[in-house]
Amino acid sequence: MKEDEAKGRIIRLFNDKADSFISGEDMSAVLGFSRASVWKYVKKLRNEGYAIDAVSNVGYKLVSSPDKMYGYNILTGLETKTLGRKTIHYYAKIVSTNVQAYELAEEGSPEGTIVVAETQTAGKGRLGRKWISPDSKGIYLSVILRPEMELERISTITLISANAVVRAVKNICDLSNIEVKWPNDILCGGKKVCGILTEIKAQPDSVDFVVLGIGINVNALEEDIPPGGTSLKLETGQRVDRMDLVRSLLKEIETGYTTFQKNGFGPIRNECRELSAVLGKNVSVSQYTSVITGKAIDIDENGALVLEIGNGRTKKIFSGDVSVEKVRIES
Ligand code: BT5
């Protein structure tokens, strides 16, 4: 049995027994390993920050768990079928979970493989921008997907995931002012709480893989993140359990992704409209060399943003940075 699997099973057993001691003998009978192995894994778990009481002739009791995103810890209570089921690669510190996941995908890692880190030294945003990743205060996660879909529809994965982030946050936190700023920002009270970076390797007619990267400010404080950003803790006034959130997030991404594969973009498109921070507003969209302004009126069947640009004309936007124009009150 792999070490992570053994540690995960021990944690699950402790959780099932909540505040009571379990004898080494019972543990070894339930888990099917020797008492010496039970003791070996208990020591390893202690080294990873778990406080475990051991009383001779009584047994073991889990007193507290560390706030760490260990793979086996995420797996305890994870309700997905594919995401995270094969491998969760955990790093205390990494350059970028997306860079790592991209390499793993090139080496053939299967769909659902996850890379997660406590901090990133060069977290990536779009177009060479940075994602600031305060240590152990956020979720920095990349998922390898191998979708069978046409290249032109691939940007819908970002939208599917953005909706999943909103659903996951609402499952865990009491927050209603959370919206998606097309295509890849999640805003809370107008401030950025999450960013998504979807990277693709594709052939002209097929997609090899997608690396879906998600960064969420969970327990970060104002001084940890750039101006214009916020965190779930800042918005709710309470510390948020990252483990609960990441499990919910993986489940919601899987639900959105499976719905899309079965029923297409239709149901997701409706949700995109409901959660949108930009529809009905005047926006400007910066692209590489130009800025387009107009009123955002819809998200089309491929996930493009539809702008009304005057004289009844519309324009579809496939990528860019959207800013909502401030309402000017003239007196
Ligand atoms: C994004 O880019 O928002 C995509 C961010 C994706 C980050 C995840 S973390 C896990 C995975 N691994 C990676 O290496 N990346 C992904 P963009 O729309 O280009 O926004 C970047 C801009 O957001 C920056 O230029 C800053 O202005 C702002 N920003 C950076 N860090 C932030 C933070 N922690 N909170 C709020 N805003 C931030």
Side-chain angles (χ1 to χ4, degrees), residues 96-98 120 122-127 129-134 139-142 184-185 192 194-197 213-215 217 225-226 229-230 321:
S96 148
T97 57
N98 262 37
Q120 305 179 109
K124 288 169 73 179
R126 294 177 302 159
L127 305 169
R129 292 184 289 232
K130 294 266 181 295
W131 184 258
I132 308 297
S133 313
I139 289 177
Y140 318 112
L141 169 106
S142 301
N184 73 317
D185 285 354
K192 184 159 172 170
C194 165
I196 300 176
L197 174 68
I214 300 181
N217 298 324
I225 47 183
T230 188
D321 283 311

PDB file of all heavy atoms in Angstrom, residues 96-98 120 122-127 129-134 139-142 184-185 192 194-197 213-215 217 225-226 229-230 321, ligand 1:
ATOM      1  N   SER A  96       5.340  27.113 -10.021  1.00  0.00           N
ATOM      2  CA  SER A  96       3.959  27.329 -10.451  1.00  0.00           C
ATOM      3  C   SER A  96       3.296  25.956 -10.605  1.00  0.00           C
ATOM      4  O   SER A  96       3.873  25.065 -11.242  1.00  0.00           O
ATOM      5  CB  SER A  96       3.948  28.078 -11.791  1.00  0.00           C
ATOM      6  OG  SER A  96       2.837  27.702 -12.578  1.00  0.00           O
ATOM      7  N   THR A  97       2.123  25.787 -10.050  1.00  0.00           N
ATOM      8  CA  THR A  97       1.444  24.485 -10.185  1.00  0.00           C
ATOM      9  C   THR A  97       1.099  24.236 -11.656  1.00  0.00           C
ATOM     10  O   THR A  97       1.087  23.100 -12.098  1.00  0.00           O
ATOM     11  CB  THR A  97       0.161  24.417  -9.328  1.00  0.00           C
ATOM     12  OG1 THR A  97      -0.701  25.483  -9.706  1.00  0.00           O
ATOM     13  CG2 THR A  97       0.469  24.497  -7.844  1.00  0.00           C
ATOM     14  N   ASN A  98       0.834  25.302 -12.429  1.00  0.00           N
ATOM     15  CA  ASN A  98       0.519  25.096 -13.845  1.00  0.00           C
ATOM     16  C   ASN A  98       1.727  24.573 -14.621  1.00  0.00           C
ATOM     17  O   ASN A  98       1.600  23.700 -15.468  1.00  0.00           O
ATOM     18  CB  ASN A  98       0.034  26.401 -14.494  1.00  0.00           C
ATOM     19  CG  ASN A  98      -1.481  26.464 -14.574  1.00  0.00           C
ATOM     20  OD1 ASN A  98      -2.160  26.000 -13.666  1.00  0.00           O
ATOM     21  ND2 ASN A  98      -2.013  27.028 -15.650  1.00  0.00           N
ATOM     22  N   GLN A 120       3.549  29.572  -4.293  1.00  0.00           N
ATOM     23  CA  GLN A 120       4.233  29.523  -5.592  1.00  0.00           C
ATOM     24  C   GLN A 120       5.212  30.694  -5.646  1.00  0.00           C
ATOM     25  O   GLN A 120       4.873  31.806  -5.242  1.00  0.00           O
ATOM     26  CB  GLN A 120       3.225  29.681  -6.731  1.00  0.00           C
ATOM     27  CG  GLN A 120       2.096  28.674  -6.701  1.00  0.00           C
ATOM     28  CD  GLN A 120       1.110  28.889  -7.843  1.00  0.00           C
ATOM     29  OE1 GLN A 120       1.044  28.121  -8.768  1.00  0.00           O
ATOM     30  NE2 GLN A 120       0.340  29.968  -7.766  1.00  0.00           N
ATOM     31  N   ALA A 122       6.569  31.758  -8.520  1.00  0.00           N
ATOM     32  CA  ALA A 122       6.261  32.524  -9.732  1.00  0.00           C
ATOM     33  C   ALA A 122       4.926  32.047 -10.291  1.00  0.00           C
ATOM     34  O   ALA A 122       4.844  31.535 -11.418  1.00  0.00           O
ATOM     35  CB  ALA A 122       7.381  32.358 -10.759  1.00  0.00           C
ATOM     36  N   GLY A 123       3.869  32.188  -9.470  1.00  0.00           N
ATOM     37  CA  GLY A 123       2.525  31.822  -9.911  1.00  0.00           C
ATOM     38  C   GLY A 123       2.196  32.624 -11.170  1.00  0.00           C
ATOM     39  O   GLY A 123       2.510  33.806 -11.269  1.00  0.00           O
ATOM     40  N   LYS A 124       1.566  31.976 -12.139  1.00  0.00           N
ATOM     41  CA  LYS A 124       1.329  32.622 -13.433  1.00  0.00           C
ATOM     42  C   LYS A 124      -0.084  33.176 -13.555  1.00  0.00           C
ATOM     43  O   LYS A 124      -1.052  32.497 -13.217  1.00  0.00           O
ATOM     44  CB  LYS A 124       1.499  31.590 -14.558  1.00  0.00           C
ATOM     45  CG  LYS A 124       2.934  31.167 -14.805  1.00  0.00           C
ATOM     46  CD  LYS A 124       3.004  29.954 -15.731  1.00  0.00           C
ATOM     47  CE  LYS A 124       2.679  30.303 -17.174  1.00  0.00           C
ATOM     48  NZ  LYS A 124       2.790  29.110 -18.051  1.00  0.00           N
ATOM     49  N   GLY A 125      -0.176  34.388 -14.055  1.00  0.00           N
ATOM     50  CA  GLY A 125      -1.455  34.929 -14.511  1.00  0.00           C
ATOM     51  C   GLY A 125      -1.454  34.815 -16.035  1.00  0.00           C
ATOM     52  O   GLY A 125      -0.606  34.140 -16.616  1.00  0.00           O
ATOM     53  N   ARG A 126      -2.392  35.496 -16.683  1.00  0.00           N
ATOM     54  CA  ARG A 126      -2.396  35.463 -18.150  1.00  0.00           C
ATOM     55  C   ARG A 126      -1.348  36.435 -18.679  1.00  0.00           C
ATOM     56  O   ARG A 126      -0.944  37.360 -17.981  1.00  0.00           O
ATOM     57  CB  ARG A 126      -3.790  35.854 -18.676  1.00  0.00           C
ATOM     58  CG  ARG A 126      -4.854  34.821 -18.301  1.00  0.00           C
ATOM     59  CD  ARG A 126      -6.211  35.265 -18.765  1.00  0.00           C
ATOM     60  NE  ARG A 126      -6.569  36.556 -18.200  1.00  0.00           N
ATOM     61  CZ  ARG A 126      -7.479  37.374 -18.712  1.00  0.00           C
ATOM     62  NH1 ARG A 126      -8.134  37.047 -19.805  1.00  0.00           N
ATOM     63  NH2 ARG A 126      -7.740  38.513 -18.129  1.00  0.00           N
ATOM     64  N   LEU A 127      -0.942  36.227 -19.924  1.00  0.00           N
ATOM     65  CA  LEU A 127      -0.061  37.155 -20.651  1.00  0.00           C
ATOM     66  C   LEU A 127       1.176  37.551 -19.854  1.00  0.00           C
ATOM     67  O   LEU A 127       1.545  38.730 -19.807  1.00  0.00           O
ATOM     68  CB  LEU A 127      -0.847  38.426 -21.032  1.00  0.00           C
ATOM     69  CG  LEU A 127      -2.139  38.202 -21.818  1.00  0.00           C
ATOM     70  CD1 LEU A 127      -2.946  39.476 -21.893  1.00  0.00           C
ATOM     71  CD2 LEU A 127      -1.830  37.689 -23.210  1.00  0.00           C
ATOM     72  N   ARG A 129       1.589  37.767 -16.735  1.00  0.00           N
ATOM     73  CA  ARG A 129       1.386  38.430 -15.437  1.00  0.00           C
ATOM     74  C   ARG A 129       1.600  37.428 -14.295  1.00  0.00           C
ATOM     75  O   ARG A 129       1.670  36.228 -14.517  1.00  0.00           O
ATOM     76  CB  ARG A 129      -0.015  39.042 -15.385  1.00  0.00           C
ATOM     77  CG  ARG A 129      -0.137  40.209 -16.359  1.00  0.00           C
ATOM     78  CD  ARG A 129      -1.471  40.900 -16.258  1.00  0.00           C
ATOM     79  NE  ARG A 129      -2.535  40.098 -16.782  1.00  0.00           N
ATOM     80  CZ  ARG A 129      -3.418  40.508 -17.700  1.00  0.00           C
ATOM     81  NH1 ARG A 129      -3.344  41.724 -18.203  1.00  0.00           N
ATOM     82  NH2 ARG A 129      -4.376  39.731 -18.115  1.00  0.00           N
ATOM     83  N   LYS A 130       1.676  37.960 -13.068  1.00  0.00           N
ATOM     84  CA  LYS A 130       1.997  37.102 -11.914  1.00  0.00           C
ATOM     85  C   LYS A 130       0.751  36.851 -11.072  1.00  0.00           C
ATOM     86  O   LYS A 130      -0.147  37.693 -11.007  1.00  0.00           O
ATOM     87  CB  LYS A 130       3.015  37.819 -11.007  1.00  0.00           C
ATOM     88  CG  LYS A 130       4.369  38.025 -11.647  1.00  0.00           C
ATOM     89  CD  LYS A 130       5.308  36.887 -11.272  1.00  0.00           C
ATOM     90  CE  LYS A 130       6.687  37.026 -11.854  1.00  0.00           C
ATOM     91  NZ  LYS A 130       6.736  36.952 -13.305  1.00  0.00           N
ATOM     92  N   TRP A 131       0.741  35.696 -10.410  1.00  0.00           N
ATOM     93  CA  TRP A 131      -0.284  35.458  -9.388  1.00  0.00           C
ATOM     94  C   TRP A 131       0.415  35.383  -8.043  1.00  0.00           C
ATOM     95  O   TRP A 131       1.246  34.509  -7.800  1.00  0.00           O
ATOM     96  CB  TRP A 131      -1.068  34.172  -9.651  1.00  0.00           C
ATOM     97  CG  TRP A 131      -2.176  34.012  -8.652  1.00  0.00           C
ATOM     98  CD1 TRP A 131      -2.176  33.193  -7.565  1.00  0.00           C
ATOM     99  CD2 TRP A 131      -3.418  34.727  -8.620  1.00  0.00           C
ATOM    100  NE1 TRP A 131      -3.356  33.351  -6.866  1.00  0.00           N
ATOM    101  CE2 TRP A 131      -4.129  34.288  -7.487  1.00  0.00           C
ATOM    102  CE3 TRP A 131      -3.997  35.706  -9.437  1.00  0.00           C
ATOM    103  CZ2 TRP A 131      -5.389  34.774  -7.147  1.00  0.00           C
ATOM    104  CZ3 TRP A 131      -5.253  36.197  -9.098  1.00  0.00           C
ATOM    105  CH2 TRP A 131      -5.941  35.735  -7.972  1.00  0.00           C
ATOM    106  N   ILE A 132       0.138  36.336  -7.172  1.00  0.00           N
ATOM    107  CA  ILE A 132       0.758  36.404  -5.852  1.00  0.00           C
ATOM    108  C   ILE A 132       0.124  35.307  -4.978  1.00  0.00           C
ATOM    109  O   ILE A 132      -1.111  35.224  -4.885  1.00  0.00           O
ATOM    110  CB  ILE A 132       0.517  37.796  -5.205  1.00  0.00           C
ATOM    111  CG1 ILE A 132       0.940  38.919  -6.158  1.00  0.00           C
ATOM    112  CG2 ILE A 132       1.192  37.919  -3.845  1.00  0.00           C
ATOM    113  CD1 ILE A 132       2.398  38.948  -6.505  1.00  0.00           C
ATOM    114  N   SER A 133       0.970  34.510  -4.353  1.00  0.00           N
ATOM    115  CA  SER A 133       0.482  33.286  -3.703  1.00  0.00           C
ATOM    116  C   SER A 133       0.951  33.200  -2.243  1.00  0.00           C
ATOM    117  O   SER A 133       1.866  32.438  -1.917  1.00  0.00           O
ATOM    118  CB  SER A 133       1.006  32.062  -4.465  1.00  0.00           C
ATOM    119  OG  SER A 133       0.828  32.210  -5.857  1.00  0.00           O
ATOM    120  N   PRO A 134       0.345  33.988  -1.342  1.00  0.00           N
ATOM    121  CA  PRO A 134       0.791  33.957   0.059  1.00  0.00           C
ATOM    122  C   PRO A 134       0.727  32.553   0.668  1.00  0.00           C
ATOM    123  O   PRO A 134      -0.245  31.827   0.451  1.00  0.00           O
ATOM    124  CB  PRO A 134      -0.159  34.924   0.777  1.00  0.00           C
ATOM    125  CG  PRO A 134      -1.211  35.292  -0.200  1.00  0.00           C
ATOM    126  CD  PRO A 134      -0.740  34.952  -1.571  1.00  0.00           C
ATOM    127  N   ILE A 139      -5.637  28.761  -2.132  1.00  0.00           N
ATOM    128  CA  ILE A 139      -5.623  27.490  -2.862  1.00  0.00           C
ATOM    129  C   ILE A 139      -4.919  27.759  -4.185  1.00  0.00           C
ATOM    130  O   ILE A 139      -5.317  28.668  -4.927  1.00  0.00           O
ATOM    131  CB  ILE A 139      -7.063  26.992  -3.089  1.00  0.00           C
ATOM    132  CG1 ILE A 139      -7.663  26.535  -1.755  1.00  0.00           C
ATOM    133  CG2 ILE A 139      -7.088  25.850  -4.107  1.00  0.00           C
ATOM    134  CD1 ILE A 139      -9.108  26.098  -1.841  1.00  0.00           C
ATOM    135  N   TYR A 140      -3.867  27.018  -4.449  1.00  0.00           N
ATOM    136  CA  TYR A 140      -3.139  27.114  -5.718  1.00  0.00           C
ATOM    137  C   TYR A 140      -3.142  25.712  -6.287  1.00  0.00           C
ATOM    138  O   TYR A 140      -2.463  24.821  -5.761  1.00  0.00           O
ATOM    139  CB  TYR A 140      -1.708  27.633  -5.502  1.00  0.00           C
ATOM    140  CG  TYR A 140      -1.692  28.783  -4.505  1.00  0.00           C
ATOM    141  CD1 TYR A 140      -1.103  28.650  -3.255  1.00  0.00           C
ATOM    142  CD2 TYR A 140      -2.351  29.981  -4.809  1.00  0.00           C
ATOM    143  CE1 TYR A 140      -1.147  29.680  -2.325  1.00  0.00           C
ATOM    144  CE2 TYR A 140      -2.410  31.008  -3.882  1.00  0.00           C
ATOM    145  CZ  TYR A 140      -1.810  30.849  -2.642  1.00  0.00           C
ATOM    146  OH  TYR A 140      -1.882  31.858  -1.726  1.00  0.00           O
ATOM    147  N   LEU A 141      -3.934  25.539  -7.330  1.00  0.00           N
ATOM    148  CA  LEU A 141      -4.267  24.193  -7.761  1.00  0.00           C
ATOM    149  C   LEU A 141      -4.290  24.112  -9.277  1.00  0.00           C
ATOM    150  O   LEU A 141      -4.786  25.034  -9.928  1.00  0.00           O
ATOM    151  CB  LEU A 141      -5.669  23.911  -7.217  1.00  0.00           C
ATOM    152  CG  LEU A 141      -6.403  22.691  -7.706  1.00  0.00           C
ATOM    153  CD1 LEU A 141      -6.387  21.644  -6.600  1.00  0.00           C
ATOM    154  CD2 LEU A 141      -7.835  23.016  -8.019  1.00  0.00           C
ATOM    155  N   SER A 142      -3.754  23.036  -9.824  1.00  0.00           N
ATOM    156  CA  SER A 142      -3.887  22.799 -11.267  1.00  0.00           C
ATOM    157  C   SER A 142      -4.422  21.400 -11.489  1.00  0.00           C
ATOM    158  O   SER A 142      -4.031  20.461 -10.796  1.00  0.00           O
ATOM    159  CB  SER A 142      -2.540  22.949 -11.975  1.00  0.00           C
ATOM    160  OG  SER A 142      -2.039  24.248 -11.763  1.00  0.00           O
ATOM    161  N   ASN A 184     -12.290  35.040 -16.647  1.00  0.00           N
ATOM    162  CA  ASN A 184     -11.521  34.207 -15.714  1.00  0.00           C
ATOM    163  C   ASN A 184     -11.345  34.777 -14.311  1.00  0.00           C
ATOM    164  O   ASN A 184     -10.534  34.273 -13.553  1.00  0.00           O
ATOM    165  CB  ASN A 184     -10.127  33.938 -16.305  1.00  0.00           C
ATOM    166  CG  ASN A 184      -9.251  35.182 -16.237  1.00  0.00           C
ATOM    167  OD1 ASN A 184      -9.719  36.275 -16.520  1.00  0.00           O
ATOM    168  ND2 ASN A 184      -8.019  35.021 -15.832  1.00  0.00           N
ATOM    169  N   ASP A 185     -12.075  35.838 -13.987  1.00  0.00           N
ATOM    170  CA  ASP A 185     -11.929  36.416 -12.643  1.00  0.00           C
ATOM    171  C   ASP A 185     -13.183  36.139 -11.827  1.00  0.00           C
ATOM    172  O   ASP A 185     -14.295  36.251 -12.342  1.00  0.00           O
ATOM    173  CB  ASP A 185     -11.813  37.947 -12.720  1.00  0.00           C
ATOM    174  CG  ASP A 185     -10.465  38.407 -13.215  1.00  0.00           C
ATOM    175  OD1 ASP A 185      -9.571  37.561 -13.404  1.00  0.00           O
ATOM    176  OD2 ASP A 185     -10.306  39.629 -13.410  1.00  0.00           O
ATOM    177  N   LYS A 192     -11.117  41.213  -6.700  1.00  0.00           N
ATOM    178  CA  LYS A 192     -10.738  39.892  -7.230  1.00  0.00           C
ATOM    179  C   LYS A 192     -10.358  38.926  -6.104  1.00  0.00           C
ATOM    180  O   LYS A 192      -9.438  39.178  -5.337  1.00  0.00           O
ATOM    181  CB  LYS A 192      -9.571  40.080  -8.199  1.00  0.00           C
ATOM    182  CG  LYS A 192      -9.119  38.809  -8.897  1.00  0.00           C
ATOM    183  CD  LYS A 192      -8.349  39.161 -10.173  1.00  0.00           C
ATOM    184  CE  LYS A 192      -7.709  37.962 -10.805  1.00  0.00           C
ATOM    185  NZ  LYS A 192      -7.172  38.248 -12.134  1.00  0.00           N
ATOM    186  N   CYS A 194     -10.347  35.423  -6.939  1.00  0.00           N
ATOM    187  CA  CYS A 194      -9.850  34.208  -7.606  1.00  0.00           C
ATOM    188  C   CYS A 194      -9.542  34.511  -9.063  1.00  0.00           C
ATOM    189  O   CYS A 194     -10.234  35.311  -9.696  1.00  0.00           O
ATOM    190  CB  CYS A 194     -10.933  33.133  -7.517  1.00  0.00           C
ATOM    191  SG  CYS A 194     -10.713  31.732  -8.618  1.00  0.00           S
ATOM    192  N   GLY A 195      -8.498  33.871  -9.571  1.00  0.00           N
ATOM    193  CA  GLY A 195      -8.173  33.980 -11.002  1.00  0.00           C
ATOM    194  C   GLY A 195      -7.967  32.585 -11.569  1.00  0.00           C
ATOM    195  O   GLY A 195      -7.537  31.672 -10.859  1.00  0.00           O
ATOM    196  N   ILE A 196      -8.299  32.446 -12.832  1.00  0.00           N
ATOM    197  CA  ILE A 196      -8.178  31.133 -13.485  1.00  0.00           C
ATOM    198  C   ILE A 196      -7.280  31.271 -14.710  1.00  0.00           C
ATOM    199  O   ILE A 196      -7.416  32.235 -15.475  1.00  0.00           O
ATOM    200  CB  ILE A 196      -9.575  30.614 -13.914  1.00  0.00           C
ATOM    201  CG1 ILE A 196     -10.460  30.468 -12.678  1.00  0.00           C
ATOM    202  CG2 ILE A 196      -9.467  29.282 -14.663  1.00  0.00           C
ATOM    203  CD1 ILE A 196     -11.887  30.068 -12.978  1.00  0.00           C
ATOM    204  N   LEU A 197      -6.359  30.354 -14.867  1.00  0.00           N
ATOM    205  CA  LEU A 197      -5.489  30.345 -16.040  1.00  0.00           C
ATOM    206  C   LEU A 197      -5.578  28.968 -16.691  1.00  0.00           C
ATOM    207  O   LEU A 197      -5.169  27.972 -16.108  1.00  0.00           O
ATOM    208  CB  LEU A 197      -4.031  30.618 -15.625  1.00  0.00           C
ATOM    209  CG  LEU A 197      -2.997  30.492 -16.741  1.00  0.00           C
ATOM    210  CD1 LEU A 197      -3.177  31.601 -17.780  1.00  0.00           C
ATOM    211  CD2 LEU A 197      -1.581  30.536 -16.178  1.00  0.00           C
ATOM    212  N   GLY A 213      -5.713  25.971 -14.143  1.00  0.00           N
ATOM    213  CA  GLY A 213      -5.071  26.489 -12.929  1.00  0.00           C
ATOM    214  C   GLY A 213      -5.987  27.464 -12.212  1.00  0.00           C
ATOM    215  O   GLY A 213      -6.541  28.380 -12.832  1.00  0.00           O
ATOM    216  N   ILE A 214      -6.136  27.259 -10.920  1.00  0.00           N
ATOM    217  CA  ILE A 214      -7.050  28.108 -10.143  1.00  0.00           C
ATOM    218  C   ILE A 214      -6.317  28.636  -8.913  1.00  0.00           C
ATOM    219  O   ILE A 214      -5.691  27.858  -8.173  1.00  0.00           O
ATOM    220  CB  ILE A 214      -8.294  27.297  -9.702  1.00  0.00           C
ATOM    221  CG1 ILE A 214      -9.014  26.771 -10.951  1.00  0.00           C
ATOM    222  CG2 ILE A 214      -9.227  28.142  -8.853  1.00  0.00           C
ATOM    223  CD1 ILE A 214     -10.270  25.985 -10.657  1.00  0.00           C
ATOM    224  N   GLY A 215      -6.372  29.931  -8.719  1.00  0.00           N
ATOM    225  CA  GLY A 215      -5.805  30.538  -7.513  1.00  0.00           C
ATOM    226  C   GLY A 215      -6.918  31.244  -6.753  1.00  0.00           C
ATOM    227  O   GLY A 215      -7.622  32.083  -7.328  1.00  0.00           O
ATOM    228  N   ASN A 217      -7.832  33.370  -3.150  1.00  0.00           N
ATOM    229  CA  ASN A 217      -7.391  33.981  -1.883  1.00  0.00           C
ATOM    230  C   ASN A 217      -8.360  33.528  -0.802  1.00  0.00           C
ATOM    231  O   ASN A 217      -9.523  33.923  -0.813  1.00  0.00           O
ATOM    232  CB  ASN A 217      -7.439  35.502  -1.980  1.00  0.00           C
ATOM    233  CG  ASN A 217      -6.508  36.048  -3.053  1.00  0.00           C
ATOM    234  OD1 ASN A 217      -5.421  35.506  -3.270  1.00  0.00           O
ATOM    235  ND2 ASN A 217      -6.933  37.107  -3.739  1.00  0.00           N
ATOM    236  N   ILE A 225      -1.971  40.586  -0.460  1.00  0.00           N
ATOM    237  CA  ILE A 225      -2.412  40.509  -1.861  1.00  0.00           C
ATOM    238  C   ILE A 225      -2.410  41.898  -2.513  1.00  0.00           C
ATOM    239  O   ILE A 225      -2.453  42.910  -1.814  1.00  0.00           O
ATOM    240  CB  ILE A 225      -3.826  39.872  -1.966  1.00  0.00           C
ATOM    241  CG1 ILE A 225      -4.786  40.491  -0.953  1.00  0.00           C
ATOM    242  CG2 ILE A 225      -3.772  38.372  -1.817  1.00  0.00           C
ATOM    243  CD1 ILE A 225      -6.162  39.871  -0.945  1.00  0.00           C
ATOM    244  N   PRO A 226      -2.373  41.942  -3.835  1.00  0.00           N
ATOM    245  CA  PRO A 226      -2.299  43.251  -4.496  1.00  0.00           C
ATOM    246  C   PRO A 226      -3.576  44.073  -4.296  1.00  0.00           C
ATOM    247  O   PRO A 226      -4.637  43.504  -4.032  1.00  0.00           O
ATOM    248  CB  PRO A 226      -2.152  42.894  -5.983  1.00  0.00           C
ATOM    249  CG  PRO A 226      -1.878  41.443  -6.050  1.00  0.00           C
ATOM    250  CD  PRO A 226      -2.357  40.827  -4.787  1.00  0.00           C
ATOM    251  N   GLY A 229      -7.552  43.295  -4.809  1.00  0.00           N
ATOM    252  CA  GLY A 229      -7.849  41.905  -4.470  1.00  0.00           C
ATOM    253  C   GLY A 229      -8.538  41.819  -3.127  1.00  0.00           C
ATOM    254  O   GLY A 229      -8.515  42.765  -2.335  1.00  0.00           O
ATOM    255  N   THR A 230      -9.170  40.687  -2.887  1.00  0.00           N
ATOM    256  CA  THR A 230      -9.737  40.433  -1.571  1.00  0.00           C
ATOM    257  C   THR A 230      -9.622  38.941  -1.296  1.00  0.00           C
ATOM    258  O   THR A 230      -9.141  38.188  -2.149  1.00  0.00           O
ATOM    259  CB  THR A 230     -11.207  40.917  -1.480  1.00  0.00           C
ATOM    260  OG1 THR A 230     -11.646  40.818  -0.123  1.00  0.00           O
ATOM    261  CG2 THR A 230     -12.145  40.099  -2.363  1.00  0.00           C
ATOM    262  N   ASP A 321      -9.202  41.482 -21.430  1.00  0.00           N
ATOM    263  CA  ASP A 321      -9.404  41.925 -20.051  1.00  0.00           C
ATOM    264  C   ASP A 321     -10.582  42.880 -20.030  1.00  0.00           C
ATOM    265  O   ASP A 321     -10.542  43.933 -20.670  1.00  0.00           O
ATOM    266  CB  ASP A 321      -8.164  42.689 -19.560  1.00  0.00           C
ATOM    267  CG  ASP A 321      -7.053  41.740 -19.201  1.00  0.00           C
ATOM    268  OD1 ASP A 321      -7.321  40.775 -18.474  1.00  0.00           O
ATOM    269  OD2 ASP A 321      -5.923  41.956 -19.673  1.00  0.00           O
TER     270      ASP A 321
HETATM  271  C1  BT5 B   1      -5.304  35.352 -13.560  1.00  0.00           C
HETATM  272  O1  BT5 B   1      -4.573  36.035 -14.496  1.00  0.00           O
HETATM  273  O2  BT5 B   1      -6.117  35.832 -12.812  1.00  0.00           O
HETATM  274  C2  BT5 B   1      -4.973  33.870 -13.489  1.00  0.00           C
HETATM  275  C3  BT5 B   1      -4.401  33.467 -12.154  1.00  0.00           C
HETATM  276  C4  BT5 B   1      -4.225  31.981 -12.051  1.00  0.00           C
HETATM  277  C5  BT5 B   1      -3.451  31.602 -10.820  1.00  0.00           C
HETATM  278  C6  BT5 B   1      -3.393  30.121 -10.637  1.00  0.00           C
HETATM  279  S1  BT5 B   1      -2.714  29.687  -9.098  1.00  0.00           S
HETATM  280  C7  BT5 B   1      -2.617  28.038  -9.563  1.00  0.00           C
HETATM  281  C8  BT5 B   1      -2.190  28.021 -11.012  1.00  0.00           C
HETATM  282  N1  BT5 B   1      -0.759  28.012 -11.137  1.00  0.00           N
HETATM  283  C9  BT5 B   1      -0.304  29.146 -11.696  1.00  0.00           C
HETATM  284  O3  BT5 B   1       0.912  29.407 -11.885  1.00  0.00           O
HETATM  285  N2  BT5 B   1      -1.335  29.948 -11.999  1.00  0.00           N
HETATM  286  C10 BT5 B   1      -2.607  29.325 -11.676  1.00  0.00           C
HETATM  287  P1  BT5 B   1      -4.865  37.547 -14.928  1.00  0.00           P
HETATM  288  O4  BT5 B   1      -6.290  37.694 -15.334  1.00  0.00           O
HETATM  289  O5  BT5 B   1      -3.821  37.832 -15.917  1.00  0.00           O
HETATM  290  O6  BT5 B   1      -4.658  38.366 -13.619  1.00  0.00           O
HETATM  291  C11 BT5 B   1      -3.385  38.614 -13.085  1.00  0.00           C
HETATM  292  C12 BT5 B   1      -3.489  39.889 -12.291  1.00  0.00           C
HETATM  293  O7  BT5 B   1      -4.228  39.653 -11.092  1.00  0.00           O
HETATM  294  C13 BT5 B   1      -2.138  40.411 -11.805  1.00  0.00           C
HETATM  295  O8  BT5 B   1      -1.521  41.205 -12.785  1.00  0.00           O
HETATM  296  C14 BT5 B   1      -2.524  41.225 -10.569  1.00  0.00           C
HETATM  297  O9  BT5 B   1      -3.021  42.500 -10.952  1.00  0.00           O
HETATM  298  C15 BT5 B   1      -3.722  40.448 -10.028  1.00  0.00           C
HETATM  299  N3  BT5 B   1      -3.306  39.540  -8.938  1.00  0.00           N
HETATM  300  C16 BT5 B   1      -2.171  38.842  -8.791  1.00  0.00           C
HETATM  301  N4  BT5 B   1      -2.196  38.097  -7.684  1.00  0.00           N
HETATM  302  C17 BT5 B   1      -3.394  38.321  -7.111  1.00  0.00           C
HETATM  303  C18 BT5 B   1      -4.026  37.839  -5.945  1.00  0.00           C
HETATM  304  N5  BT5 B   1      -3.463  36.949  -5.137  1.00  0.00           N
HETATM  305  N6  BT5 B   1      -5.281  38.299  -5.676  1.00  0.00           N
HETATM  306  C19 BT5 B   1      -5.895  39.193  -6.463  1.00  0.00           C
HETATM  307  N7  BT5 B   1      -5.341  39.686  -7.576  1.00  0.00           N
HETATM  308  C20 BT5 B   1      -4.110  39.254  -7.909  1.00  0.00           C
END
